[in-house]
Amino acid sequence: LCGLASSVLAILLAVRAEFAGAAIALVAAFVFDVVDGPVAARAKNRDADQSTFGANLDSLADMVSAGVVLGVIILAYGNFAVAYLPFAVVLAAATALRLSYFNVHGLDAESGAYTGLPTDLAIIGFVTLMLLDGPLELPAFRIALSAGAVLLAAAMVSSLPIPKLTGRSYGAVIAFGMMLAALHAIRLWS
């Protein structure tokens, strides 16, 4: 639920055009999403129903963070012009398809890899793109963010095998997310 709360905070900040804050809240949602699985796996006395409940709750939180928040941010950057709506819808649809596919098929049986870009990595890719706000003029940034959103959506529904994060790669992606949050915090206070 912490990831869901972070996502709602990101929506609030995006609607108020506080984009660096929205990016930081998205990184928090990402971190909560990445650590909730290992934390749940360590919980003792969980039965199958509790595990299924947690998996469904995680999927719903992922839909909000990757499917809704990213679209709201694109719409907010575009001053909620209808022209940006297709990009928000593409992200929401790709996220729903990606999560539904994973919920039915899980990891690839042979390789143990995801099929398509996981939503948490899509969030990190999007937050990375948000760093172009400032170095690019706003019209160019809006185009870059929208194009990046389409690429992330395509990657989520692709058949690309993406290795599951474990061990050092798991820590490295969390560290990268924290670095992104720090860079956005610098933007926030400068």
Side-chain angles (χ1 to χ4, degrees):
L1 293 178
C2 292
L4 189 59
S6 298
S7 295
V8 172
L9 176 60
I11 290 170
L12 171 68
L13 294 169
V15 168
R16 294 171 56 172
E18 297 174 21
F19 297 112
I24 294 166
L26 264 176
V27 170
F30 157 78
V31 171
F32 287 124
D33 182 44
V34 170
V35 301
D36 67 358
V39 168
R42 288 191 173 98
K44 297 180 190 216
N45 302 323
R46 285 184 57 200
D47 62 27
D49 285 343
Q50 291 168 328
S51 181
T52 301
F53 178 83
N56 280 297
L57 184 60
D58 181 66
S59 194
L60 290 169
D62 290 348
M63 184 63 211
V64 173
S65 61
V68 176
V69 177
L70 303 186
V72 169
I73 290 173
I74 287 176
L75 289 167
Y77 267 117
N79 295 320
F80 296 95
V82 174
Y84 294 93
L85 184 61
F87 300 102
V89 171
V90 163
L91 275 171
T95 301
L97 290 169
R98 162 90 191 82
L99 291 168
S100 294
Y101 182 89
F102 178 74
N103 290 346
V104 171
H105 299 287
L107 295 172
D108 181 71
E110 288 181 27
S111 66
Y114 292 103
T115 300
L117 184 69
T119 56
D120 52 2
L121 296 181
I123 290 168
I124 287 299
F126 191 88
V127 171
T128 302
L129 285 170
M130 288 176 71
L131 288 171
L132 296 174
D133 177 16
L136 294 179
E137 296 292 327
L138 188 57
F141 171 71
R142 287 174 174 159
I143 292 168
L145 189 64
S146 299
V150 170
L151 292 174
L152 289 170
M156 281 193 277
V157 297
S158 75
S159 58
L160 231 112
I162 306 290
K164 181 172 173 55
L165 296 177
T166 58
R168 290 180 190 216
S169 64
Y170 181 83
V173 172
I174 291 174
F176 183 71
M178 299 308 281
M179 181 197 69
L180 287 173
L183 291 171
H184 282 286
I186 291 168
R187 288 182 49 225
L188 188 63
W189 289 299
S190 55

